[in-house]
């Protein structure tokens, strides 16, 4: 479905990002994954190469708070594979801090990675995509972007902002043939959820009509569809992939 396409996936070293990188590779794309550290990027690339030595994959670790570093990383992708056709803004962190003790620097940290980095990477990618004649930008939102959550308000606030970027950039970039969509995952089995205590997780899973927690591949499949030409008339959408869970 992505034969000959060039993709960048941020937070591509594990969880939803790694599953998406793998799905894109299996479907013929060349992929640059961005991680937070050299070691985790190298490990992910080595594991994928071990699965299939023919995969066209590169690992980078730009500081996602720096426009200059992001610019250099996109230049490196262009030099290695060509200008990207697809960007998946997936790197993210969550929060559970109660408002009363929430430190302003922690609120700013989550907004920095979950929102400002999405803006910066989209800007760098869109400049190259416009030059190339089009592209696709996909964002990892969350079901909390629809319902909020009862503690750690920085996290849902950041994902509401991701939806805002998605819908606004879809309107701004349509004229440049760049589609912009988001996937809003429900509860997905990744390291992020491993931090949630079992007793807190069980009632959430019990309330999911499909009766199970989501797997990273469930989200990767949605990204594959939205990245492909099958979604050629879809832009500005926030696609819930949550088993109809509403927590
Ligand atoms: P994860 O913790 O397994 O992976 C997070 C990824 O982000 C990693 O690749 C990590 O390297 C990267 N990252 C973290 N901090 C970074 C930093 N400072 N700079 C660069 N990269 C950094 O989590 P996941 O569950 O796979 O989450 C991926 C995305 O999915 C996030 O945006 C998250 O908010 C979203 N999401 C997850 C769930 C869930 O239930 N797991 C639900 C809804 C949305």
């Amino acid at each position: 479905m992505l034969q000959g396409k060039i993709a960048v996936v941020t937070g591509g070293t594990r969880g939803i990002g790694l599953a998406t990188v793998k799905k894109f590779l299996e479907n013929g794309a060349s992929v640059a994954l961005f991680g937070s550290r050299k070691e985790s990027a190298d490990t992910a690339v080595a594991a994928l190469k071990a699965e299939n030595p023919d995969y066209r994959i590169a690992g980078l670790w730009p500081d996602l708070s720096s426009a200059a570093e992001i610019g250099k990383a996109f230049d490196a992708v262009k030099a290695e594979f060509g200008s990207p056709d697809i960007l998946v803004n997936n790197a993210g962190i969550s929060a559970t801090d109660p408002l009363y003790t929430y430190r302003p620097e922690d609120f700013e940290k989550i907004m920095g990675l979950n929102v400002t980095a999405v803006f910066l990477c989209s800007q760098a990618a869109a400049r190259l995509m416009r030059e190339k004649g089009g592209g696709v930008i996909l964002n990892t939102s969350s079901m909390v972007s629809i319902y909020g959550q009862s503690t750690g308000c920085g996290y849902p606030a950041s994902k509401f902002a991701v939806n805002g970027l998605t819908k606004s950039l879809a309107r701004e970039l349509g004229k440049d043939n760049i589609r912009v969509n988001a996937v809003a995952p429900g509860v997905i089995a990744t390291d992020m959820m491993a931090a949630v205590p079992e007793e807190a997780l069980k009632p959430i899973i019990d309330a999911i009509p499909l009766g199970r927690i989501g797997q990273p591949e469930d989200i990767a499949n949605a990204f594959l569809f939205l990245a492909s030409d099958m979604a050629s008339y879809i832009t500005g959408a926030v696609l819930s992939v949550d088993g109809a869970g509403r927590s």
Side-chain angles (χ1 to χ4, degrees), residues 7-22:
V8 171
V9 180
T10 74
T13 56
R14 59 175 199 258
I16 291 169
L18 180 61
T20 302
V21 169
K22 203 173 154 199

Side-chain angles (χ1 to χ4, degrees), residues 11 13-16 90 113 140-141 155 159 185-186 188 190 192-193:
T13 56
R14 59 175 199 258
I16 291 169
N90 169 75
L113 182 65
T140 310
S141 181
Y155 184 61
K159 296 301 186 179
I188 310 299
T190 67
M192 191 175 270
M193 287 318 294

Side-chain angles (χ1 to χ4, degrees), residues 9-201:
V9 180
T10 74
T13 56
R14 59 175 199 258
I16 291 169
L18 180 61
T20 302
V21 169
K22 203 173 154 199
K23 187 68 63 180
F24 284 10
L25 288 166
E26 286 165 359
N27 279 271
S30 303
V31 184
L33 65 80
F34 289 4
S36 53
R37 291 176 299 118
K38 178 182 187 323
E39 302 77 61
S40 51
D42 286 350
T43 305
V45 168
L48 291 160
K49 276 274 188 197
E51 266 180 46
N52 185 342
D54 294 334
Y55 281 158
R56 284 166 53 84
I57 168 88
L60 295 106
W61 50 96
D63 174 356
L64 294 185
S65 66
S66 158
E69 278 218 24
I70 290 168
K72 274 191 220 153
F74 275 89
D75 287 346
V77 173
K78 188 177 174 184
E80 174 133 10
F81 297 131
S83 290
D85 303 285
I86 301 158
L87 164 67
V88 183
N89 284 304
N90 169 75
I93 46 174
S94 63
T96 52
D97 319 55
L99 178 65
Y100 297 110
T101 53
Y102 209 145
R103 299 186 317 165
E105 56 269 38
D106 290 334
F107 187 86
E108 274 170 22
K109 188 175 166 200
I110 201 163
M111 297 305 273
L113 182 65
N114 292 13
V115 183
T116 309
V118 173
F119 158 72
L120 292 173
C121 289
S122 299
Q123 185 177 54
R127 285 173 177 153
L128 296 173
M129 288 171 179
R130 180 174 61 173
E131 222 172 68
K132 197 175 184 176
V136 182
I137 296 173
L138 301 173
N139 299 322
T140 310
S141 181
S142 168
M143 67 178 170
V144 305
S145 76
I146 299 159
Y147 307 106
Q149 71 182 25
S150 56
T151 186
C153 63
Y155 184 61
S158 74
K159 296 301 186 179
F160 273 78
V162 166
N163 292 1
L165 283 169
T166 303
K167 289 175 183 291
S168 301
L169 293 181
R171 299 184 72 160
E172 183 173 348
L173 302 179
K175 66 179 184 325
D176 299 319
N177 192 31
I178 299 172
R179 296 188 293 107
V180 187
N181 292 295
V183 172
V187 183
I188 310 299
T190 67
D191 288 356
M192 191 175 270
M193 287 318 294
V196 179
E198 175 95 36
E199 63 273 17
L201 209 53

